[in-house]
Amino acid sequence: MSLISQSARPKKEVNKTKRDEPEVEEGNEADVDALKLKKKKRGEELVKKQVKEMKKLENFLFGSLYSPVEFGEDNQVDADDTAKGSDLFFTDRSADTVLTVYKEDAADDFSEDETDLQIKPVWVDEEEERTTVNIAKLNRLRKLRKEEEESVISGSEYVSRLRAHHIKLNPGTEWAQVDSKSKGDRSSDDELTDEENEDFADVLRTNEDLVVKSSSKLLPGHIEYSKLVDANIQDPSNGPIHSVQFHRNGQLLLTAGLDRKLRFFQVDGKRNTKIQSIFLEECPIRKASFLPDGSQVILSGRRKFFYSFDLVKAKVDKIGPLVGREEKSLEFFEVSPDSKLIAFVGNEGYILLVSTKTKQLVGTLKMNGTIRSLAFAEDGQHLLSAGGDGQVYHWDLRTMTCLHKGVDEGCINSSALCTSPGGTHFAAGSDSGIVNIYNREEFLGGKRKPIKTIANLTTKVDFMKFNHDSQILAICSNMKKSSLKLIHIPSYTVFSNFPSANSSLHYPRSIDFSPGGGFMAVGNAAGKVLLYKLHHYQHA
């Protein structure tokens, strides 16, 4: 039943009213018109009364936000009732004294061009300035330090750094970024140049750098990381993973192993979409590597030949055996940083140098003992090698001569070599699990003492890798479960929180960092490629 029908008069009352009305004689037209006008006014008053009751009920149910009070002679009677309903809903304008945009008096004067509005916090805790926080005492607070020896800071500084850390872990979305600078938004101030105005506009678009000054220095002790979805989750390998490597674009990742398949994945940390896989029927893959220029992939196994996969043409070429050589295996090799040479480990201490363009043998180098590991340095102009005699050789590839030969301290059988991207440091691993880190210039100058000796591994060192800025060195052994360590190079200490106690690294076999340092991929003997996000680095 509607509200109008509830307010209508009963039928008997209407009939009674009709009976009480005086009868009008047929010839009196003036009295008929007066009676009709009287009935019309009475009907209008009845409708107004019903509408008034409906408004009163609405005000009672929904408050004055939906039916605001109207001031006037007709509504004067219902003002009190409406006010009662408005108590259910109200607008909080307690910030009027601070936020000038809420001031009704200033509303007329406010315009879009005003830039002098100052928004102040509604409440400031005075205890923040008097309180001190020791950020070096708890492990979870050490990430807030700017310097290694920093410990006690004020409460306000603690709050500021927490906000900055939140911004660092939760960057803004791409669609909210301003792609281009608008010339029409430049200030017309005569005292400032156009370039200065653009700088001020950039400052107003973000507050990240205003909170804390960004720093690329990685602090020792603990490393912030997150375990992501496996990089090869869409197509795990049926055998051990012997090679993982990121393309120079930071998104493409290759994986290769003994199941004879070369796989490519687009790594984003969420889906890690599989792009392509290539099956090599005649060769279980022992190593696969991108050329630094990103044009080809070199693959090898325990065979007399090797393969080259052209990424542009999507074509696989079989190369070998090499002319003039009788090597039974070309499974170990390194690619020069300038993408010109491939150095293979040969028999009886020989190093075989092959051109990446012609795929032909262009030169050989000879060590006194057996050779087990290689590493390029200085944009491909120098080559380091080590083997069974415990010595490290430095070769000049421009003259094809040995520059220096020195003993790796405490090493009997060398098992791995690795150079930093800048060529200033190199690391040498041995069968005993010892890793020595050297300054390369000092070693060439005759200093045999290493900068630091890492003894955290107890079995043979199989693989080592520096990240892009040489602040992290990863070392692993495939003879023991979870035998992987990350070393902080500036302090030459091991990160104590990686790997965690409940991690499932299995037997790690290969490691690689993305070009920007944001991702770390670990291939293991179970056919999985574990993917980690290193929070210190913002880009992949």
Side-chain angles (χ1 to χ4, degrees):
M1 183 180 293
S2 64
L3 295 175
I4 297 178
S5 62
Q6 292 177 1
S7 302
R9 294 185 299 171
K11 185 176 181 181
K12 292 181 180 180
E13 184 180 350
V14 174
N15 294 335
K16 183 178 179 181
T17 305
K18 289 183 179 180
R19 289 195 300 268
D20 294 341
E21 292 176 356
E23 296 182 0
V24 181
E25 295 182 1
E26 295 181 359
N28 195 347
E29 296 180 357
D31 294 340
V32 173
D33 294 337
L35 182 59
K36 289 182 179 179
L37 182 60
K38 185 177 181 181
K39 287 182 178 181
K40 185 177 180 180
K41 290 182 178 180
R42 185 179 297 173
E44 291 177 355
E45 291 177 357
L46 181 61
V47 173
K48 288 182 179 180
K49 184 177 180 181
Q50 292 173 351
V51 172
K52 189 179 297 183
E53 290 179 356
M54 291 174 61
K55 288 185 177 182
K56 183 176 180 181
L57 182 59
E58 288 180 2
N59 290 336
F60 178 74
L61 292 176
F62 304 108
S64 60
L65 289 178
Y66 294 91
S67 181
V69 179
E70 297 179 1
F71 296 97
E73 296 179 356
D74 296 337
N75 300 326
Q76 196 70 27
V77 180
D78 300 321
D80 296 336
D81 296 335
T82 305
K84 293 179 181 178
S86 65
D87 292 340
L88 298 176
F89 301 91
F90 65 96
T91 302
D92 185 7
R93 296 183 180 273
S94 59
D96 267 2
T97 57
V98 178
L99 302 178
T100 58
V101 293
Y102 285 127
K103 291 184 178 181
E104 297 180 359
D105 296 338
D108 297 333
D109 299 332
F110 179 79
S111 63
E112 294 181 356
D113 297 333
E114 279 190 287
T115 58
D116 57 348
L117 293 176
Q118 297 181 354
I119 300 179
K120 301 178 182 179
V122 295
W123 179 75
V124 177
D125 189 1
E126 298 178 354
E127 291 293 331
E128 289 183 358
E129 295 295 336
R130 296 193 290 267
T131 303
T132 57
V133 180
N134 190 340
I135 58 176
K137 186 176 182 180
L138 297 177
N139 292 338
R140 61 185 178 85
L141 298 182
R142 291 177 180 174
K143 56 180 174 288
L144 301 178
R145 295 180 296 174
K146 292 182 179 179
E147 300 294 338
E148 183 177 353
E149 63 276 2
E150 190 175 20
S151 59
V152 179
I153 61 175
S154 64
S156 59
E157 179 68 15
Y158 174 70
V159 172
S160 176
R161 294 189 186 184
L162 281 179
R163 293 182 184 276
H165 186 67
H166 174 76
I167 294 174
K168 181 180 178 181
L169 296 183
N170 301 278
T173 54
E174 295 181 357
W175 58 265
Q177 302 296 330
V178 179
D179 295 332
S180 61
K181 300 177 181 178
S182 176
K183 296 181 179 179
D185 294 338
R186 293 182 179 178
S187 174
S188 59
D189 192 348
D190 296 336
E191 297 179 359
L192 299 178
T193 63
D194 291 343
E195 184 177 354
E196 290 173 339
N197 287 329
E198 291 180 0
D199 293 339
F200 288 140
D202 292 338
V203 171
L204 295 175
R205 289 184 186 129
T206 179
N207 67 337
E208 182 175 357
D209 292 336
L210 299 179
V211 177
V212 60
K213 186 176 181 180
S214 61
S215 174
S216 60
K217 183 179 180 181
L218 180 64
L219 298 178
H222 286 68
I223 185 170
E224 296 181 59
Y225 71 94
S226 298
K227 176 70 171 62
L228 304 178
V229 177
D230 290 351
N232 63 343
I233 186 70
Q234 295 192 2
D235 189 10
S237 176
N238 295 325
I241 299 290
H242 276 268
S243 292
V244 294
Q245 188 180 11
F246 285 92
H247 192 269
R248 64 176 185 175
N249 64 11
Q251 296 180 351
L252 187 65
L253 175 74
L254 71 77
T255 67
L258 297 182
D259 64 348
R260 307 183 183 187
K261 281 188 177 181
L262 172 66
R263 298 174 175 87
F264 295 96
F265 298 89
Q266 183 178 0
V267 177
D268 57 6
K270 297 179 181 179
R271 293 181 297 177
N272 301 330
T273 307
K274 177 186 173 182
I275 298 177
Q276 188 180 10
S277 63
I278 299 169
F279 180 71
L280 302 179
E281 185 176 358
E282 302 179 7
C283 183
I285 303 173
R286 292 278 178 173
K287 182 164 184 178
S289 176
F290 284 110
L291 290 186
D293 61 10
S295 61
Q296 301 178 34
V297 177
I298 306 299
L299 305 102
S300 67
R302 196 162 288 176
R303 298 290 187 270
K304 296 180 180 180
F305 49 85
F306 65 97
Y307 291 90
S308 172
F309 175 66
D310 193 313
L311 293 176
V312 178
K313 299 178 182 179
K315 181 182 177 182
V316 179
D317 294 324
K318 180 180 176 182
I319 297 103
L322 298 177
V323 178
R325 302 298 306 177
E326 296 182 356
E327 270 73 22
K328 296 181 179 180
S329 173
L330 297 175
E331 58 184 297
F332 299 116
F333 68 89
E334 291 293 332
V335 180
S336 64
D338 58 3
S339 302
K340 293 182 179 180
L341 292 176
I342 308 171
F344 286 94
V345 173
N347 297 335
E348 300 175 353
Y350 277 95
I351 302 172
L352 312 178
L353 302 177
V354 176
S355 171
T356 58
K357 291 184 178 180
T358 63
K359 304 299 187 297
Q360 299 295 322
L361 185 68
V362 294
T364 59
L365 303 172
K366 178 68 171 67
M367 288 176 50
N368 293 335
T370 59
I371 178 172
R372 295 188 177 184
S373 55
L374 296 169
F376 278 94
E378 291 187 8
D379 298 330
Q381 296 180 0
H382 292 82
L383 179 68
L384 282 70
S385 63
D389 58 356
Q391 294 187 341
V392 179
Y393 291 74
H394 279 71
W395 305 89
D396 189 342
L397 298 181
R398 294 168 295 185
T399 59
M400 304 294 286
T401 57
C402 180
L403 292 176
H404 181 267
K405 181 176 67 173
V407 177
D408 181 17
E409 186 179 73
C411 175
I412 298 177
N413 291 317
S414 177
S415 60
L417 273 178
C418 181
T419 58
S420 62
T424 57
H425 294 76
F426 75 91
S430 64
D431 284 350
S432 61
I434 300 297
V435 175
N436 289 327
I437 303 175
Y438 294 91
N439 183 300
R440 203 166 70 89
E441 291 185 0
E442 294 178 355
F443 188 82
L444 291 174
K447 184 178 179 180
R448 307 292 177 87
K449 191 75 174 176
I451 300 174
K452 184 68 176 181
T453 298
I454 307 297
N456 291 76
L457 299 182
T458 57
T459 52
K460 184 181 93 169
V461 181
D462 293 293
F463 193 86
M464 299 187 296
K465 180 72 175 181
F466 281 92
N467 74 331
H468 73 290
D469 59 0
S470 303
Q471 294 195 79
I472 301 176
L473 171 64
I475 60 176
C476 73
S477 173
N478 59 28
M479 300 179 67
K480 188 176 181 181
K481 280 190 174 182
S482 300
S483 185
L484 188 153
K485 297 295 180 182
L486 298 181
I487 302 168
H488 180 256
I489 291 304
S491 65
Y492 303 101
T493 58
V494 175
F495 289 107
S496 59
N497 64 328
F498 187 91
S500 60
N502 57 353
S503 63
S504 56
L505 287 176
H506 203 259
Y507 294 92
R509 287 181 175 268
S510 56
I511 310 164
D512 194 32
F513 297 92
S514 59
F519 290 135
M520 181 180 71
V522 180
N524 61 25
K528 295 182 179 180
V529 179
L530 309 179
L531 187 64
Y532 297 90
K533 176 71 175 73
L534 305 182
H535 295 303
H536 177 75
Y537 301 100
Q538 298 297 316
H539 304 288

